[in-house]
Amino acid sequence: MPDALRQWPALLGILALAVIVTVSAEATIVYAKVLSRLAHRDGPGVRPQD
């Protein structure tokens, strides 16, 4: 039984890493959607200001 308990930190670390990667991917998707909406709202002929 003690051998099984030694695996928990590694399993929790892998789970935490998977959660971080998933949250980062979702944040990137949301950011891309927001930028896309802002670009469409401004229209195709609008150039960025210097």
Side-chain angles (χ1 to χ4, degrees), residues 7-26:
Q7 294 177 358
W8 278 104
L11 294 175
L12 289 177
I14 292 170
L15 179 62
L17 185 62
V19 168
I20 291 170
V21 169
T22 303
V23 169
S24 175
E26 289 295 326

